[in-house]
């Protein structure tokens, strides 16, 4: 019988200090996330220096809690998977150095994981992956359609040319004076509004799987300003609903077209914006028209940043024999 594989994941790329332990690549044994959102909220966004300080304060506590939850010690861990990039360099460094210290002290192999690979592999904690598959990655920093023909093989077939979807959500939310991060607030408002305000949809050139959200973001801001100048009232709920519909139309439209063109077996949703109820509902509805494609949507807790997803991606790399070394550094520009 094969021995069980336990991988410790560490994620500190942005504003969550997180650690988790995954058994055999798909079973969560412990999952701890310390969010810093409260500290950044009064600045309306993530302040890198504050993020790094919080990570330093939290990382040891989060690791201790993770081992306690799992009822394991470092000697039980087969590999340490850590987010190597992309992200804030000062934030990444805290996780990478913690991983290196543990690896050195206990003689455990270390593996550097791409943050987006982690988001995609969050789905493996829900269901086994079947290739070829397509992943719609929508986070605060990325909007991408990623085609995978096997484990660890990532082909970006479309990406945003300007703002990421989450970034557009956060900027529109700020215009509506909603707290950071704005995505969940727009989602909630949209639910109570009606999409009766005309806004653009950036389909781009025929056949393109790229995205663009900055025009939409500007249209929302202009709509608000023009209404204010004319002394007209716009219901924030309606603006949120119209914005959300425009985002979802394009995300879901392109995902369906790519899924058919590349004849994929599965479509996976990934990233913080995957927590969006409107997007989840529309994907579920739309993929009923493509019953041969298995749509996988992770639970909310695995959509936003966490370390379980990093350990899940790290387990696959571990099994493929990939190893990092003590020269590893935070790499904000790491390629998928
Ligand atoms: O993946 P994530 O936690 O961090 C990055 O890697 O960027 O994504 C954070 C983003 C933020 O822009 C946040 O506003 C957005 O995900 N988000 C949402 C929702 N929940 C989080 N956007 C829309 N609707 C939501 N329910
Ligand atoms: Zn993320």
């Amino acid at each position: 019988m094969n021995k069980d594989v336990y991988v410790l994941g560490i994620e500190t790329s942005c504003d969550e200090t997180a650690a988790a332990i995954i058994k055999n690549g798909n079973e969560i044994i412990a999952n701890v996330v310390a969010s810093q959102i409260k500290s950044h909220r009064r600045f309306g966004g993530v302040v890198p220096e504050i993020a790094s300080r919080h990570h330093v304060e939290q990382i040891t506590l989060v690791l201790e809690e993770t081992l306690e939850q799992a009822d394991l010690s470092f000697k039980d861990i087969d590999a340490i998977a850590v987010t190597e990039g992309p992200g804030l360099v000062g934030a990444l460094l805290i996780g990478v150095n913690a991983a290196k210290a543990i690896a050195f002290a206990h003689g455990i192999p270390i593996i550097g994981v791409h943050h987006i690979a982690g988001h995609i592999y969050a789905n493996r904690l829900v269901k086994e992956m079947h290739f070829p598959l397509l992943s719609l990655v929508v986070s605060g920093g990325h909007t991408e359609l990623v085609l995978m023909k096997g484990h660890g093989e990532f082909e970006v077939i479309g990406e945003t040319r300007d703002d990421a979807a989450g970034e557009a959500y956060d900027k529109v939310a700020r215009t509506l004076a909603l707290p950071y991060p704005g995505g969940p607030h727009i989602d909630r408002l949209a639910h109570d509004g009606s999409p009766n305000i005309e806004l653009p949809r950036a389909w781009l050139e025929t056949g393109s799987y790229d995205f663009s959200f900055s025009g939409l973001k500007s249209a929302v801001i202009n709509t608000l300003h023009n209404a204010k100048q004319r002394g007209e009232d716009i219901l924030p709920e309606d603006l949120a609903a119209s914005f959300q519909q425009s985002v979802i139309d394009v995300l879901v439209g392109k995902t369906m077209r790519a899924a058919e063109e590349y004849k994929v077996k599965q479509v996976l949703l990934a990233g913080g914006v995957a927590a969006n109820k409107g997007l989840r509902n529309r994907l579920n509805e739309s993929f009923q028209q493509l019953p041969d494609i298995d749509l996988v949507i992770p639970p909310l807790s695995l959509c936003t940043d966490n370390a379980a997803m990093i350990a899940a991606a790290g387990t696959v790399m571990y099994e493929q024999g990939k190893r990092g070394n003590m020269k590893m550094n935070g790499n904000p520009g790491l390629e998928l």
Side-chain angles (χ1 to χ4, degrees):
M1 211 175 83
N2 287 341
K3 179 194 165 297
D4 288 328
V5 172
Y6 290 94
V7 174
L8 170 69
I10 299 176
E11 153 66 40
T12 64
S13 70
C14 190
D15 59 348
E16 333 277 348
T17 316
I21 296 172
I22 301 297
K23 181 179 168 184
N24 298 332
N26 60 7
E27 190 183 332
I28 301 176
I29 303 296
N31 190 16
V32 178
V33 181
S35 172
Q36 315 173 351
I37 283 178
K38 268 195 199 137
S39 305
H40 298 287
R41 187 165 283 157
R42 65 198 163 109
F43 302 103
V46 176
V47 183
E49 185 60 24
I50 293 177
S52 308
R53 282 171 195 225
H54 276 293
H55 287 311
V56 171
E57 284 166 15
Q58 292 295 321
I59 189 72
T60 311
L61 298 170
V62 166
L63 283 163
E64 278 172 2
E65 196 181 325
T66 303
L67 288 171
E68 204 172 299
Q69 246 186 42
D71 200 18
L72 295 174
S73 66
F74 285 127
K75 71 172 172 26
D76 303 307
I77 302 296
D78 295 286
I80 303 172
V82 60
T83 308
E84 190 178 357
L88 304 167
V89 68
L92 290 165
L93 272 176
I94 314 299
V96 168
N97 281 310
K100 289 203 298 199
I102 302 164
F104 183 70
H106 300 276
I108 308 171
I110 185 174
I111 296 162
V113 175
H114 192 288
H115 184 76
I116 295 303
H119 273 301
I120 294 172
Y121 271 89
N123 284 278
R124 194 164 182 236
L125 299 167
V126 181
K127 216 174 204 185
E128 195 44 66
M129 290 159 128
H130 297 289
F131 304 103
L133 65 79
L134 179 73
S135 185
L136 171 63
V137 180
V138 274
S139 75
H142 293 79
T143 304
E144 286 169 0
L145 277 170
V146 181
L147 181 68
M148 290 180 71
K149 292 183 180 151
H151 279 301
E153 295 173 31
F154 306 100
E155 187 190 336
V156 178
I157 60 164
E159 63 193 329
T160 184
R161 295 187 184 169
D162 40 59
D163 291 358
E167 197 180 344
Y169 264 95
D170 294 339
K171 286 179 181 165
V172 165
R174 197 187 300 188
T175 315
L176 288 170
L178 296 166
Y180 174 84
H185 296 280
I186 299 268
D187 194 12
R188 184 176 40 77
L189 276 183
H191 189 75
D192 298 329
S194 88
N196 52 15
I197 299 163
E198 209 167 299
L199 292 171
R201 278 143 186 76
W203 293 107
L204 308 174
E205 318 81 70
T206 317
S208 171
Y209 290 119
D210 280 351
F211 301 96
S212 164
F213 294 105
S214 77
L216 171 63
K217 174 195 69 190
S218 304
V220 171
I221 295 170
N222 289 341
T223 305
L224 261 181
H225 286 174
N226 293 343
K228 215 178 252 174
Q229 274 175 352
R230 289 198 224 102
E232 291 167 8
D233 272 340
I234 284 193
L235 283 179
E237 292 86 345
D238 291 349
L239 196 56
S242 307
F243 165 75
Q244 178 145 307
Q245 194 175 64
S246 172
V247 173
I248 293 175
D249 279 354
V250 178
L251 289 179
V252 175
K254 295 207 178 204
T255 304
M256 290 190 72
R257 187 158 56 77
E260 285 193 281
E261 183 182 331
Y262 289 94
K263 299 189 172 51
V264 298
K265 294 199 176 110
Q266 259 180 344
V267 167
L268 317 180
L269 185 59
V273 184
N276 187 276
K277 289 195 191 63
L279 177 60
R280 299 165 79 91
N281 291 343
R282 178 82 75 81
L283 278 170
N284 273 319
E285 272 165 38
S286 303
F287 272 89
Q288 282 176 9
Q289 295 162 37
L290 302 175
D292 294 341
I293 299 175
D294 181 26
L295 173 70
V296 187
I297 299 183
L300 298 188
S301 60
L302 295 176
C303 291
T304 44
D305 288 349
N306 65 85
M309 65 185 199
I310 302 302
T315 305
V316 170
M317 295 172 74
Y318 176 71
E319 283 167 351
Q320 290 176 332
K322 293 182 182 151
R323 302 287 183 271
N325 59 42
M326 287 297 152
K327 289 193 187 127
M328 194 193 294
N329 227 323
N331 182 352
L334 190 67
E335 298 266 331
L336 187 62

